[in-house]
Each structure stands twice: as C-alpha cells, then as structure tokens.
Amino acid sequence: MLVANLDKTEKKALRNQFGETLVALGEENQNIVVLDADLACSTQTALFAKRFPERFFNQGIAEQDLMNTAAGLATTGKIPFLSTFAIFATGKAWEPLRNTVCYSHLNVKICPTHSGLSLGEDGASHQSIEDIALTRVIPNLVVLVPADAVETEAAVRWAADYVGPVYIRLVRPNCPVIHDTTRYRLEPYQMQVLRPGTDITLVGTGETVYHALIAAERLATQGIEAEVINCPFIKPLDPHALIESARKTGRVLTVESHNVIGGLGGAVCEALSEQLPTPVKRLGVQDRFGQSGTAEALFAEYGIDSAAIEAAVLAWLPQH
Amino acid sequence: MLVANLDKTEKKALRNQFGETLVALGEENQNIVVLDADLACSTQTALFAKRFPERFFNQGIAEQDLMNTAAGLATTGKIPFLSTFAIFATGKAWEPLRNTVCYSHLNVKICPTHSGLSLGEDGASHQSIEDIALTRVIPNLVVLVPADAVETEAAVRWAADYVGPVYIRLVRPNCPVIHDTTRYRLEPYQMQVLRPGTDITLVGTGETVYHALIAAERLATQGIEAEVINCPFIKPLDPHALIESARKTGRVLTVESHNVIGGLGGAVCEALSEQLPTPVKRLGVQDRFGQSGTAEALFAEYGIDSAAIEAAVLAWLPQH
Amino acid sequence: MLPETSPLTTTTDAVTPHSPLSRDALPTLAAKLRLDILQMIFEAQSGHPGSSLSCIDLLVSLWFAHMRHTAAQAKWPQRDRFVMSKGHGAPALYAVLMEAGYIPKEEISTLRKVHSNLQGHPASRYVAGVDVSTGSLGQGLSCAVGMALGLRLDQSPARVYALLGDGECQEGNTWEAVMSAAHHQVSRLTAIVDRNRLQIDGSTESIKALGDLAPKFEAFGWNTLTIDGHDFDQIHQALMEADRLAESSTRPTVIIANTVKGKGVSFMENQAGWHGKAPNAEQFEQAMTELQATYSRLLAS
Amino acid sequence: MLPETSPLTTTTDAVTPHSPLSRDALPTLAAKLRLDILQMIFEAQSGHPGSSLSCIDLLVSLWFAHMRHTAAQAKWPQRDRFVMSKGHGAPALYAVLMEAGYIPKEEISTLRKVHSNLQGHPASRYVAGVDVSTGSLGQGLSCAVGMALGLRLDQSPARVYALLGDGECQEGNTWEAVMSAAHHQVSRLTAIVDRNRLQIDGSTESIKALGDLAPKFEAFGWNTLTIDGHDFDQIHQALMEADRLAESSTRPTVIIANTVKGKGVSFMENQAGWHGKAPNAEQFEQAMTELQATYSRLLAS
Ligand SMILES: Cc1ncc(C[n+]2csc(CCOP(=O)(O)OP(=O)(O)O)c2C)c(N)n1
Ligand SMILES: Cc1ncc(C[n+]2csc(CCOP(=O)(O)OP(=O)(O)O)c2C)c(N)n1
Ligand SMILES: [Mg+2]
Ligand SMILES: [Mg+2]
C-alpha cells in the first residue's frame, strides 16, 4: 500500500488536495456547498469558491456563525464542507459543533486545515494541539486524520458519502505522499499496519505517520524491527490491528502533532487498557503551548520528528 | 478523613458551598471579583453579588465576553472567579479560556456549576459530559473536581491562593458530604485512598466518589474488598496512589459523570499505560448524548450510580 | 427518538399544507395551549413557564395562520422553516406541535422525563417539526440564515422564521448572524425577538442593557417592525408586512415583539422568578383557574 | 520568556512616565518604524506587512504622544493599558515596544523563530508591555473592558485602549464587548478600529459587509469619532476628544480610523494579497527604498 521509495516520494499539501477534491465533488454533486471564515485562501476552499461561487459562502471572521450556518444548510439537504484553521473550528465553534451539528446529527463536514505544530510561524495562538481531544469527546462525530494527500482525498470523498457529521484534521505544509495511489483504499474505522515489525509498535496519525516510517527504516539498520501503524480514524476506532500488534511487540509508542493528553495517545491508552494492557509511551506536545518556528524546527523542538522517534525507541528498548 | 456514617450523612449542594465560600473570600480579600453570565441565581454567585455588588459583574448571556472580561480584570491584579453552566464555560468560551486566559497564564478561576448528567431535566444541550476532556488538554490549566461540599470549599480556597488559571467542576444537586470537615485537608495534585481494599480499585471524581464508596460498602458484604480512590485533581495529576493501588489489586474501574472518552478514565489509562499497565474498565457516559430526567434516573440510565458500579465489579471479578 | 431520515426525503405525492386558521380562532387556541403549557410543566415539575407564555401567541400565529407546513409531511421540502432559537420555550413549541399533529397528544405528560421525546429543549432527533436542536442560546439565527441560503439555492419559495429571546441578543453569535443575513440579503428570513425585557437574573436592562433593539438591527441593515406580541392583529400584520418586504426589499426583517413574560398567569407576569420554575400544586391550581377562565370566555365569545 | 511576576507588582519608587514626543516627531518616527516592520518580516520570511503598516501611525501616536507608561516600570499600576486586539499586527507593536525600550533592539531579527520572544502574535509571557496575549481575533475588546472595570475599582485614572481590525468586527465577541462596555459605562475605554476595508480573503464589503461602522457603535451606545488614521493631527485630536468624552459622558468612545492597508509601500497599498505575506528580496528592496525615501524626507524637513 506504500509508495516504493519513501525518501524520494513527492510532496503535496493536504490542504491543496482538499481544495481540489472539493472541486471534483462539486462537479459530481450539486448538493455540495462550502463555507469558510475568511481563510479561503489558506484553506484552499478558494478553489471551490472560484469554480462554484453560488455554492460558496464566506462567513467572514465569525466561526460560530460559520458552524451554525453550515448546520442550517444541512437541514435543507445540502452537504456543507466548512473550513478554517483547526483552532478556530474546534475552539471558537465547539459548542455549535457539539450542540447544533452533532446533537442534531447534521450532515456537516468540518475540515479545518492548519492543525498541529506544523502551522508554524503564526505561533501558539494559532496552533491547535487540542483538537483531537476536543472532537473525540463529542458523541456522533467521526474524527479522521489523513496522513497524506492520497488519504486526504479518500477521507474527503468518504465523508461526502457518509451521512452525518465528520471532522477531518488537515495540516498546512507539503507532506510526503506515503500511500501508493493505485493500491490505496480507505478502510473505515480501521488502523493499518504500514510496516510489519516485532520489537515495538509505532502508532502515528496524520503527519507523524511519515516520521514513524522513516524512524522505522533507520531503526531497521540498527537491527530493530518497528511495526508502524497508521491511525486515520480516531473515532470510531476499531483497535483490532493495534491489539494484535501490541500482543506481538509488547511496547507501543504513539506520536502525534497534538498534546499527549487526550489525543491519539489517549485513545491508544484507553483501548489497550481495556483490551490488552501494554506499556505505552506518548510522543507529542508535552502539555505546553506551541510557539513560532518552521514546521521542521518545531517538530524537532517538540520531539515528534523521525529523529526524536528513533531516539525514543532506542532509549526504551533494552540494549542490543 | 471520611464521615462516620455515609448512609446518613447530610447533603449539601456544591454550588451553594461555592457561593458561600466566595462570600467568605470576598470578605477576606478585596481583590476577589466575581463574574457570571445570567445564571447567577443558579450558580449561586448571586450570594456574592448581593454582598459585594461593586465587585460583581453579570455579563449577560455572553460567555466569550465573560471569559475575556475576567482575563482583563486579572491583568489589573484582581482575582476573578467566574461561573456559568459547565457546557457554556468550556464550550462557548473554550478559545478565550485557552488563548487568552491560559496562554497568558492569567489568574482566572473558572468555576462552572451544573456539569455532568446531574444537571438533569434541561437535557443534553445543557449537560456537559465533555468538560474534563476540554479542560484537561489545555496547557497551564489546573483542573479540579470536588467530591462534596467540604472539598469544594477547600478547592475554591486553594484556587484563590494559587496564582494562575484553575478550573473547578461543580454540580447542581445536593451531594452527600463524605469528608469529615475537621480532619479533611486538600492535598494538591494527589489522589486519596478513601477506603482500602485489595480486590479492585475504584476511581471516582466529583459526584461519583460517593457512589463508589457506597458500592464498596455493598461489595464488602459480599466478600469483595474494593479500594476506593478519590481523584480531585485531574491535572496536574500525581498518579502515585493509583499506581500503588493498581499494583495491589490488578484491576481498575473508573467512574465519572462524563464521557468515558478523554476524561477521568482517559487520564487513568494514560497514567497506568505509562507506569504500570493494568486492566481498566471505564464507567461513564458511553459516548452518547445525555437527556432529560432527574439526576438519579440519569445516573441509573447511564450506569454510574452505586448499583451500576457494584454490578460492574461483580461482572468483572472472578466468581467467588 | 425518530427514525433516521435523510434531509432530502422528498415526495411525489401532492402535499396539502395545513390550512390556516381564521384570525378569530387564534386567541382561543393560544388560550388553550397556555393550559397545555402549564400542564406539561407542572407534571414535569420543571421547565420554563414565563418564557413559554411570553411567546405562545407568536407561535400560534406563525404555525396556525401563517406558515405553510403539514404534520402529514413533516419534511415537505417546500415547507416554511421555523427555528426556536430560544429553545427553553420548548413547552410552547411542544404545545403547538401537539396541536398541529406532529407530536402525539399522549406525550404531554412525558416532558423532561427519561426516555421522553419531549426533551427539556427541542431536539431534532426526538421530535418531528424540529429541524435543528436548540437550547444553547445565540445559535438559532445563524441556523436560520443557513436554511434561507439552502432554500434560495433550491429556488424554493419557502420562508424562514426564527424566534429569539431578547436576552439572547446579548450573544455575539446573534450579531454575527444579523450581519450575515444582511450581507447575504436573505430577505425571506424573518427574525422575531420576544422582547419581554427579562432574562434569568433580572431585567435585561439591569443585566446588560439592550436598549432599543430596532435601531441596532437597522444599523446592521435589517428592516424592523415593532409590535405588541400579544395582539393577534398586530402579529398578523407584521408577518404580512414581512412577506411584502421579502419581495420588495433585499433586507431581512426583524419583528420586535413587545411581550409580557408569563403572560396570562397574573402572578407570573413580568416576574423574572418565573423564568424557569415549575409551580407547586397550589400555584398550579390558581394558574389553571385563571387560564381556564380566559379560555372559556374566548370560547363563548 | 519573561520571569513570572504577580500582576500586583507595585513599587514605592516614584515612576516617571515616558515623556510624550512632540507632534512633529511622530511622522518621522512612524516612518522609521515602518522600516523596522519590513525588516522584521523580511528576515522572518513570514508575518503581516499590510496589517502592520496600516496601524503603525495609530500605534506611534498612542505610545509616544498619548499613553502614560514607561518601559522602566512595565507593570506600573497607573499605566494606561493597550490591547492589540488585532494581534497579527504584532510587527508594528514590536517595533513600537523596541523603540520604547520594552524589547531589546537586538531581538529584531528573531521574529517568528523558535525560542524567540517575538512570537507571531503578541504573547504576554514573552514580551513586556503586552498585558494579554492576542492573535485570535474578537477577544481583545472584552479584555479591555475587563481592564477598565478593574482600574475603576482601584479608582485609577488610567485609560484603556484597544486596537481592532475592521474584519475583526465580524466576530460576535466584539459586539458582546461593545454592548458590555456601554452597559458598564467604562468611558475611559477607547476602541480604535483600523478601518482599512480589507481582510484576508478580500474587501470587508465583499466578504461580510461592515457598511458604516459608526452608526452600529452609536446604536450600541458609544461615542463615535471618524478620522483619517494616517493623519497625525486627526489622530491626536481624536485621542484628546476621547479623553474629554471620558469625563463628560458615560459612554465609551470608538475611533473609526480610515486607513490604507500596506500604507507606505506602493505595491502593498490596498492589496489584500499583502495581508500576511513576506516580501521576497526584490520586493523587500523596493519597499525599503520607498520607506527610506519617506523617512529621509521627513528627517530633513
Ligand atoms: C448560551 C447559553 N447561555 C446560557 C443559557 C442559560 N439560559 C437559559 S434561558 C436564559 C435566559 C434567556 O433570556 P431571554 O433570551 O430573554 O429569553 P426569555 O426566556 O426571556 O424569553 C439563560 C441565560 C443558555 N441556555 N444558553
Ligand atoms: C478568530 C480568528 N479567526 C481567524 C483568524 C485568521 N486571521 C488572521 S488576520 C485575519 C483578517 C483580519 O482582518 P482585519 O481584522 O480587517 O485586520 P487587518 O489585517 O485588515 O488590519 C484573519 C481572518 C484569526 N486570527 N482569529
Ligand atoms: Mg427575555
Ligand atoms: Mg482590515
């Protein structure tokens, strides 16, 4: 399912893929409408706006209004996709998302871009390191975190078909394409083993999946076989693959561009504690705020890039 | 530390205790100011408003404004306590809480009442079953969930002394007083073993602590010794007592008036997975919305009252 | 709970909307529904009598004389839409929906009980006739704008109504929506503000003064009409005028309806304390006696 | 990061506030700080030039001619307060704070870099002179009201200023605060709206029309003044007038400052595209040439 050569794979921004897929969906389905809150040029919903101006609504800098307008549109049979930065979609509009969209089980797709640390230079106020926790706790909401452009397209298309609220967490930078387009298929609610291994299980979601894969390659040269699992569906989550892997390796390391509290690491700990208690270490933002910097600098500073993953594995595993 | 006879202990509403403690603090410290958002009669900040009208600000039905006004007051050296229902404090004002109060590390105390299912008849739209997850994930924020009026008073007083943002989760109904006032002391960041046991560890927070204690009493008559742990500090959390208990019992059951995702159960799973992987089951709202009903009816319906705890333990433990 | 249906459910059957009641029938019906409201809240021993009595005349006018809709086809695409933005007025809405056939009458005694469809605040998953759940204030007007935008895309003639509390106009989201509606020129949207001058903690003017609401909406680009929200003629005329304005102007219209919180029950009128409190048996009896007297008088006239 | 200090830090030393610059010095200083702004953003290759250039004349007038404050005692309790509600204008604020001695000049090249104090948006934990972190739009005016309430409790004569973007006036929280300020009669609060008629995706009027802002604030009970936000005389007079109104009326005052986004750099002026984009080397050179020319001309005159 993976591309042949990870080191040399092309890069594509998930937000660009998102914008393009929206346009394609717009062609296919008259009911697709798109909303933004004065960030259309950043989130790439501007592509849809250009192609289908009458089905695009820029609600200005008003995120509660954004969410509730989408809710209203959904009641008339439209399929609203909305975007803005993740911190605003989930933070400023949490209550409309919860009480209006999810409680009413409305067919709204919340697809913010610029989640996590890789938003970069804008700094802490704009870096959502909490949105997985914020969305995972809402009943009725499906939470998806695509790892690359291929998965992004599949996720957006899947969300368009699924009836009900879906959250898709996207990021700003160009991300290496890890999935082979021709062989890739989205498996709803499943985790996928992207690379088999026996010594430790690395679980990533979104951007960190690539870093986990690279770390695994480097570890392999040191005689450590890390199994790498991709977790695109944070909720609902069928932990089958995780449990099988943990049974084999006995150690799980989670990696996320998110607070280590309540996010992917939290979901993994909850699943394992219930079904197969296993030692887990969580890489991610260690409960502090983000800061300005390039995506790369921040992934290093906050210890979630491939080097940090490699180091964490080496520190954890018994000496060879 | 516990009262002598749990069955016959008096009841007191945490929100009433909150209101009274605010008045006492207001007498002691001129810098205490209080804010509400048109729920002062429910949250009991009305007591403070009556006594210190010039230091009370009713911001009307405007929760973002409530949070940010408190932030502004804090920058002038005031110690703002704000209240409203938990769903609005954390849901409508999440982003101001995060970006303005916590990122600036302002000395604001967020003390909503009416959290969880026991809010009762108003139903799902008003029942906050997510606020532990929503607050636990914010850096710099201390999260406290008092189990009774005694702990509420201590928590509010502790928050007044602590410099920085504190979230105190309170509830609407009259709650049995479980702590003996004369012997009780708040132990910052610690969990307390309220009842020793060897067969299973029950961890509660807030209202559910009482139910866990009652369940433990009933289980004892059936030959099962449950250790009961109170977790008033959700964050920061020193899991020492939990780890010791889990080492002894090998089984942990968490109980919360909150979604089982990302709350107390999540915090416990994260701590144990890291330090001592142990089987955990989580009682709480099983990722669905609340509904209207009395507090008692809802605790039964959602499986978090003493009977449900007892049943869960009996179902889990090997037959005697 | 209702079975899951697609919002796109359409029908090939001809739909006959509910035929409007005559002007004369409205006060009598409103008087009757006031009895239902009290009944519901008393049996639940919980709920918002003041808020419900304040808006029932407006709801009756809308649902029985003005809106095109039918319980036989609750999801009829051409139906006029209604958003109960002040969701805590649920008993008033439930009384209307029962009368209009959306909710079985026998559910009247289930308000706010476990497993009931009559949730404390109107929930779309539980009750036909409710398109979007409300309860958290400030959100309904944005939802209504979204509905109007969706209907306009479909070239539907349907109108959209939203009922807001006056205290609810303190919510920022309300003003986001006010700005949005004007910008999008959704002239088929009519907002009605239940201007009873009370919120939970006291008078709106003492808590966070709203002052004159009409100039605020005007400054934001709306048509405004101010009426007595208990005068059925004025309500009717305002709704007709809103219809005219929907075609003759590009602006949305707000009806500021001056009302009396607790209207119809002497001891509840204009009392913040009756915002959200159930009467005890004695109070209930007195309230019912008063309401019954009004109802009988209207029936007889 | 700054060391943790209590907001109550007081001092027994006499505090001498920064002495105001003369009217004539202001345009020159603003021209100089425009160079700093461009420098910072170019070195960072990230940041908001249009937004910063739009408000620098207002900031210079406030911080160097009007506000009572001193970098020597950043937490002086009697200081006037300033909230940069449009936090993305951070480079303008940083240029001012550097000039005023709150931030060491050598930090100019650290904007938006890891471990820098010059975060993308002003953060109170990192920079003296910033009382509350901003960046998320819509929140600053409420904070400013809170400050004004706190200062009034302390019977402080300090004034509070908040600078808002015009697009920021689409945020509901802004209107919550507008209503709140009027209700609480915090007349020592002055809001300044940087009315450059642009937001990220285009003109404010095309995205979500703000129309005339003054009547909106008036309808909400504010004094309003409308000026050219690049005319130092008008800015000065408006700030003086706001001072007078603070004592003669019970209303807060808003200054609607008509501005040009990107002001001072020809190719950035009135271009939404320069809202938040760093110039490349060539553009930077052109911009600096233009700004330097203005600065030299003013220095000479
Ligand atoms: C966002 C939000 N905040 C607070 C509440 C609690 N609440 C319920 S009703 C009410 C007062 C409403 O007053 P108003 O809008 O004037 O309605 P009325 O009952 O007077 O018609 C409040 C504050 C709520 N439901 N939603
Ligand atoms: C709540 C929120 N939503 C969105 C953004 C992203 N954003 C940053 S600047 C901006 C446009 C601001 O326009 P305006 O207020 O007119 O400021 P200007 O730069 O024109 O002075 C937006 C939407 C934000 N910072 N905060
Ligand atoms: Mg009212
Ligand atoms: Mg602007």
Side-chain angles (χ1 to χ4, degrees):
Chain A
M1 233 164 71
L2 290 191
V3 293
N5 192 333
L6 267 184
D7 288 336
K8 305 221 169 84
T9 186
E10 52 153 349
K11 288 187 169 193
K12 180 156 192 188
L14 309 197
R15 55 178 172 148
N16 292 350
Q17 180 64 57
F18 167 59
E20 291 163 21
T21 305
L22 279 186
V23 172
L25 284 171
E27 302 279 5
E28 297 163 23
N29 188 341
Q30 284 293 322
N31 283 321
I32 304 276
V33 297
V34 175
L35 299 93
D36 208 305
D38 196 27
L39 285 164
C41 302
S42 299
T43 65
Q44 303 301 322
T45 60
L47 297 175
F48 187 96
K50 209 173 159 199
R51 181 73 188 77
F52 306 105
E54 73 293 348
R55 283 195 265 148
F56 176 77
F57 305 98
N58 198 328
Q59 295 302 107
I61 313 174
E63 292 78 8
Q64 299 194 71
D65 183 51
L66 172 77
M67 190 67 73
N68 283 321
T69 305
L73 278 157
T75 67
T76 67
K78 304 298 164 206
I79 306 173
F81 279 75
L82 71 84
S83 194
T84 171
F85 289 180
I87 188 102
F88 306 128
T90 60
K92 278 198 91 87
W94 189 88
E95 222 254 357
L97 169 60
R98 190 263 199 197
N99 260 338
T100 306
V101 171
C102 292
Y103 182 39
S104 307
H105 204 269
L106 293 173
N107 199 16
V108 177
K109 319 301 169 182
I110 303 98
C111 308
T113 58
H114 295 67
S115 68
L117 290 172
S118 66
L119 168 136
E121 292 81 355
D122 275 349
S125 61
H126 285 53
Q127 287 158 355
S128 172
I129 52 163
E130 301 97 343
D131 59 306
I132 296 180
L134 263 63
T135 51
R136 196 166 75 85
V137 71
I138 305 181
N140 286 352
L141 185 59
V142 175
V143 181
L144 256 162
V145 188
D148 67 358
V150 175
E151 200 158 70
T152 299
E153 177 174 14
V156 173
R157 287 191 164 277
W158 180 86
D161 287 336
Y162 172 89
V163 180
V166 178
Y167 181 77
I168 304 183
R169 182 186 209 231
L170 300 170
V171 294
R172 174 190 182 212
N174 292 323
C175 296
V177 174
I178 60 175
H179 290 106
D180 177 343
T181 328
T182 53
R183 286 182 299 153
Y184 174 82
R185 264 191 44 240
L186 185 76
E187 299 169 334
Y189 318 130
Q190 304 302 309
M191 294 165 130
Q192 291 87 40
V193 176
L194 294 187
R195 177 193 174 105
T198 47
D199 298 330
I200 187 169
T201 304
L202 306 181
V203 187
T205 192
E207 280 170 293
T208 58
V209 175
Y210 169 78
H211 291 276
L213 285 167
I214 297 293
E217 285 190 355
R218 294 213 210 110
L219 288 163
T221 67
Q222 296 158 74
I224 296 171
E225 289 304 327
E227 179 146 304
V228 179
I229 290 187
N230 176 23
C231 182
F233 279 86
I234 299 284
K235 192 176 109 173
L237 175 61
D238 176 348
H240 178 75
L242 169 69
I243 306 291
E244 288 314 303
S245 183
R247 203 185 305 283
K248 187 168 55 172
T249 66
R251 273 188 191 81
V252 176
L253 183 74
T254 62
V255 199
E256 60 198 306
S257 181
H258 186 276
N259 198 335
V260 290
I261 293 180
L264 169 73
V268 164
C269 289
E270 288 170 8
L272 288 173
S273 296
E274 195 170 299
Q275 301 194 24
L276 184 77
T278 307
V280 179
K281 289 194 194 297
R282 289 165 289 140
L283 297 186
V285 180
Q286 300 295 329
D287 202 21
R288 57 180 176 131
F289 281 104
Q291 60 178 294
S292 292
T294 61
E296 297 71 39
L298 294 174
F299 265 50
E301 166 70 20
Y302 287 79
I304 56 171
D305 62 1
S306 52
I309 299 170
E310 186 186 350
V313 171
L314 291 174
W316 194 4
L317 288 192
Q319 298 309 332
H320 299 289
Chain B
M1 235 164 70
L2 290 191
V3 292
N5 192 334
L6 268 185
D7 290 336
K8 306 225 169 82
T9 186
E10 51 153 351
K11 289 186 170 196
K12 181 157 190 186
L14 308 197
R15 55 178 172 148
N16 291 350
Q17 181 62 59
F18 167 60
E20 291 163 22
T21 306
L22 279 186
V23 171
L25 284 171
E27 302 280 3
E28 296 162 24
N29 187 341
Q30 285 292 322
N31 284 321
I32 304 277
V33 297
V34 175
L35 300 91
D36 208 304
D38 195 28
L39 284 164
C41 301
S42 299
T43 65
Q44 302 302 319
T45 60
L47 296 175
F48 187 95
K50 207 172 159 202
R51 182 72 188 77
F52 306 105
E54 72 292 348
R55 282 196 265 146
F56 176 76
F57 305 98
N58 198 328
Q59 294 301 107
I61 313 174
E63 291 79 7
Q64 299 194 73
D65 183 51
L66 172 77
M67 189 68 71
N68 283 320
T69 306
L73 278 157
T75 67
T76 67
K78 303 299 163 206
I79 306 173
F81 279 76
L82 70 83
S83 194
T84 171
F85 289 180
I87 187 103
F88 306 129
T90 59
K92 278 198 91 88
W94 190 87
E95 222 254 356
L97 169 60
R98 190 264 198 196
N99 260 337
T100 307
V101 171
C102 293
Y103 182 39
S104 308
H105 204 271
L106 293 173
N107 200 16
V108 177
K109 318 300 168 183
I110 303 97
C111 309
T113 59
H114 295 67
S115 69
L117 290 173
S118 66
L119 167 138
E121 293 80 356
D122 275 348
S125 61
H126 284 53
Q127 287 158 356
S128 171
I129 52 164
E130 299 97 343
D131 59 305
I132 296 180
L134 263 63
T135 51
R136 197 166 75 86
V137 72
I138 305 181
N140 286 352
L141 184 60
V142 174
V143 181
L144 256 162
V145 188
D148 66 0
V150 174
E151 201 158 69
T152 299
E153 176 172 15
V156 172
R157 288 192 163 276
W158 180 86
D161 288 337
Y162 173 90
V163 179
V166 179
Y167 181 77
I168 304 182
R169 182 187 213 230
L170 300 171
V171 294
R172 174 191 182 212
N174 292 325
C175 297
V177 174
I178 60 175
H179 291 104
D180 177 344
T181 328
T182 52
R183 286 182 298 153
Y184 173 84
R185 264 192 44 242
L186 186 76
E187 299 168 335
Y189 318 130
Q190 303 302 311
M191 295 166 130
Q192 292 86 41
V193 176
L194 295 187
R195 177 193 174 105
T198 47
D199 299 329
I200 187 168
T201 303
L202 307 181
V203 187
T205 192
E207 278 169 295
T208 58
V209 175
Y210 170 77
H211 291 276
L213 286 166
I214 297 294
E217 286 191 354
R218 292 214 211 111
L219 288 164
T221 67
Q222 296 159 75
I224 297 171
E225 289 304 326
E227 180 145 303
V228 178
I229 291 187
N230 176 23
C231 182
F233 279 87
I234 299 284
K235 192 175 108 170
L237 176 60
D238 175 349
H240 178 77
L242 168 69
I243 306 291
E244 288 315 303
S245 183
R247 203 185 306 282
K248 187 168 57 174
T249 66
R251 274 189 190 83
V252 177
L253 183 74
T254 62
V255 199
E256 61 198 305
S257 181
H258 187 277
N259 198 336
V260 289
I261 293 180
L264 170 72
V268 164
C269 289
E270 288 170 8
L272 288 173
S273 296
E274 194 168 301
Q275 301 195 24
L276 184 76
T278 307
V280 180
K281 289 195 194 297
R282 289 166 288 140
L283 297 186
V285 180
Q286 300 296 328
D287 202 21
R288 56 179 177 134
F289 281 103
Q291 59 179 294
S292 292
T294 61
E296 297 71 38
L298 293 174
F299 265 49
E301 167 70 20
Y302 288 79
I304 56 172
D305 63 1
S306 52
I309 300 169
E310 186 187 349
V313 172
L314 291 174
W316 194 5
L317 288 191
Q319 296 312 331
H320 298 289
Chain C
M1 276 226 206
L2 299 175
E4 181 100 30
T5 54
S6 159
L8 271 181
T9 315
T10 47
T11 170
T12 43
D13 305 354
V15 170
T16 321
H18 189 286
S19 43
L21 289 189
S22 75
R23 153 71 183 81
D24 291 349
L26 301 179
T28 326
L29 181 55
K32 188 177 105 170
L33 298 189
R34 280 193 162 84
L35 289 158
D36 289 352
I37 289 169
L38 260 282
Q39 183 75 38
M40 264 186 261
I41 294 174
F42 177 65
E43 286 199 36
Q45 273 305 296
S46 175
H48 296 79
S51 311
S52 302
L53 295 172
S54 158
C55 65
I56 186 67
D57 297 332
L58 295 163
L59 289 189
V60 163
S61 301
L62 273 170
W63 283 81
F64 296 103
H66 205 77
M67 280 166 54
R68 283 181 293 256
H69 69 98
T70 168
Q73 284 279 348
K75 294 277 170 199
W76 178 39
Q78 307 289 319
R79 74 194 182 281
D80 289 334
R81 304 303 202 275
F82 176 76
V83 180
M84 185 74 180
S85 193
K86 50 167 274 190
H88 59 284
L93 181 63
Y94 294 154
V96 163
L97 293 178
M98 268 180 227
E99 181 68 22
Y102 289 85
I103 300 174
K105 287 238 162 129
E106 56 273 21
E107 293 192 14
I108 192 165
S109 56
T110 68
L111 180 71
R112 290 178 164 242
K113 298 194 176 135
V114 175
H115 300 147
S116 164
N117 288 319
L118 305 193
Q119 292 293 306
H121 295 80
S124 62
R125 302 298 301 281
Y126 289 89
V127 168
V130 172
D131 286 315
V132 67
S133 309
T134 51
S136 173
L137 294 166
Q139 307 193 26
L141 192 58
S142 285
C143 295
V145 175
M147 291 175 182
L149 291 172
L151 293 168
R152 185 163 71 189
L153 277 181
D154 291 340
Q155 290 163 335
S156 161
R159 299 160 297 181
V160 182
Y161 299 93
L163 181 73
L164 281 74
D166 49 359
E168 191 178 4
C169 295
Q170 292 159 350
E171 276 290 351
N173 193 165
T174 297
W175 296 99
E176 292 178 357
V178 168
M179 200 180 271
S180 170
H183 180 75
H184 289 302
Q185 307 191 330
V186 281
S187 63
R188 292 225 180 95
L189 169 71
T190 301
I192 305 173
V193 179
D194 186 353
R195 184 75 172 108
N196 55 29
R197 307 189 82 84
L198 288 177
Q199 51 193 113
I200 290 187
D201 284 336
S203 86
T204 54
E205 306 314 289
S206 70
I207 303 294
K208 199 179 205 178
L210 295 164
D212 275 349
L213 276 172
K216 294 186 176 62
F217 277 88
E218 259 155 41
F220 276 74
W222 284 53
N223 302 311
T224 68
L225 303 167
T226 301
I227 61 165
D228 174 345
H230 302 299
D231 179 320
F232 287 91
D233 289 325
Q234 290 191 34
I235 301 172
H236 176 70
Q237 271 150 29
L239 291 172
M240 296 292 287
E241 178 65 13
D243 275 349
R244 273 189 296 274
L245 289 166
E247 309 309 320
S248 66
S249 94
T250 54
R251 297 174 161 224
T253 297
V254 63
I255 300 173
I256 313 282
N258 288 314
T259 53
V260 172
K261 204 156 172 172
K263 176 78 177 181
V265 177
S266 61
F267 60 91
M268 291 184 175
E269 289 192 356
N270 289 316
Q271 297 299 321
W274 284 105
H275 166 83
K277 190 175 66 175
N280 63 26
E282 196 183 328
Q283 292 159 334
F284 176 60
E285 205 175 320
Q286 186 187 335
M288 292 303 269
T289 309
E290 291 184 18
L291 293 174
Q292 187 66 54
T294 312
Y295 180 45
S296 308
R297 183 170 46 71
L298 285 165
L299 264 185
S301 70
Chain D
M1 278 226 206
L2 300 175
E4 181 100 28
T5 54
S6 158
L8 271 181
T9 316
T10 46
T11 171
T12 43
D13 305 355
V15 170
T16 323
H18 189 286
S19 43
L21 289 189
S22 75
R23 155 72 184 81
D24 291 348
L26 300 179
T28 326
L29 181 55
K32 188 178 103 170
L33 297 190
R34 280 194 162 84
L35 289 158
D36 288 352
I37 289 170
L38 259 282
Q39 184 74 38
M40 263 186 262
I41 294 174
F42 177 66
E43 287 199 35
Q45 273 303 298
S46 174
H48 296 80
S51 311
S52 301
L53 295 172
S54 157
C55 64
I56 186 67
D57 296 332
L58 295 163
L59 289 188
V60 163
S61 302
L62 273 170
W63 283 81
F64 295 103
H66 205 78
M67 280 167 52
R68 284 181 294 257
H69 68 99
T70 168
Q73 283 281 347
K75 295 275 170 200
W76 179 38
Q78 307 289 318
R79 73 193 182 282
D80 290 333
R81 304 304 201 276
F82 175 76
V83 180
M84 185 74 178
S85 193
K86 50 167 273 189
H88 59 283
L93 182 63
Y94 294 154
V96 163
L97 293 178
M98 268 180 226
E99 181 68 22
Y102 289 85
I103 301 175
K105 287 237 163 131
E106 56 274 19
E107 294 193 13
I108 192 166
S109 56
T110 68
L111 180 72
R112 290 179 163 241
K113 297 191 177 136
V114 175
H115 299 148
S116 164
N117 288 320
L118 304 194
Q119 292 293 306
H121 295 81
S124 62
R125 301 299 299 283
Y126 290 87
V127 168
V130 173
D131 286 314
V132 67
S133 309
T134 51
S136 173
L137 294 165
Q139 307 193 26
L141 191 58
S142 286
C143 295
V145 175
M147 291 175 181
L149 292 172
L151 293 167
R152 185 163 69 188
L153 277 181
D154 291 340
Q155 289 161 338
S156 161
R159 298 159 299 181
V160 182
Y161 299 93
L163 180 73
L164 281 72
D166 49 0
E168 191 178 4
C169 295
Q170 292 158 351
E171 276 290 351
N173 193 165
T174 298
W175 296 100
E176 292 178 358
V178 169
M179 201 180 271
S180 170
H183 181 76
H184 289 302
Q185 307 192 327
V186 281
S187 62
R188 292 226 180 94
L189 169 71
T190 300
I192 305 172
V193 179
D194 186 353
R195 184 74 172 109
N196 56 28
R197 306 189 82 84
L198 288 178
Q199 52 193 112
I200 290 187
D201 284 335
S203 86
T204 55
E205 305 316 288
S206 70
I207 303 294
K208 200 179 203 177
L210 295 164
D212 275 350
L213 275 172
K216 293 185 178 62
F217 277 88
E218 260 155 41
F220 277 73
W222 284 53
N223 302 311
T224 67
L225 303 167
T226 301
I227 61 166
D228 175 344
H230 301 299
D231 179 321
F232 287 90
D233 290 325
Q234 289 192 33
I235 300 172
H236 176 70
Q237 271 150 31
L239 290 172
M240 296 293 287
E241 177 65 13
D243 276 349
R244 273 189 296 274
L245 288 166
E247 309 309 321
S248 67
S249 95
T250 54
R251 298 174 161 225
T253 297
V254 64
I255 301 174
I256 314 282
N258 289 314
T259 53
V260 172
K261 203 156 173 172
K263 176 79 178 179
V265 176
S266 60
F267 60 91
M268 290 185 176
E269 289 192 356
N270 289 317
Q271 297 300 320
W274 284 104
H275 166 83
K277 189 176 66 175
N280 62 26
E282 194 183 328
Q283 292 159 335
F284 176 61
E285 206 176 318
Q286 187 187 335
M288 292 303 269
T289 309
E290 292 184 18
L291 292 174
Q292 187 67 54
T294 312
Y295 179 46
S296 307
R297 183 170 47 73
L298 285 166
L299 264 186
S301 70

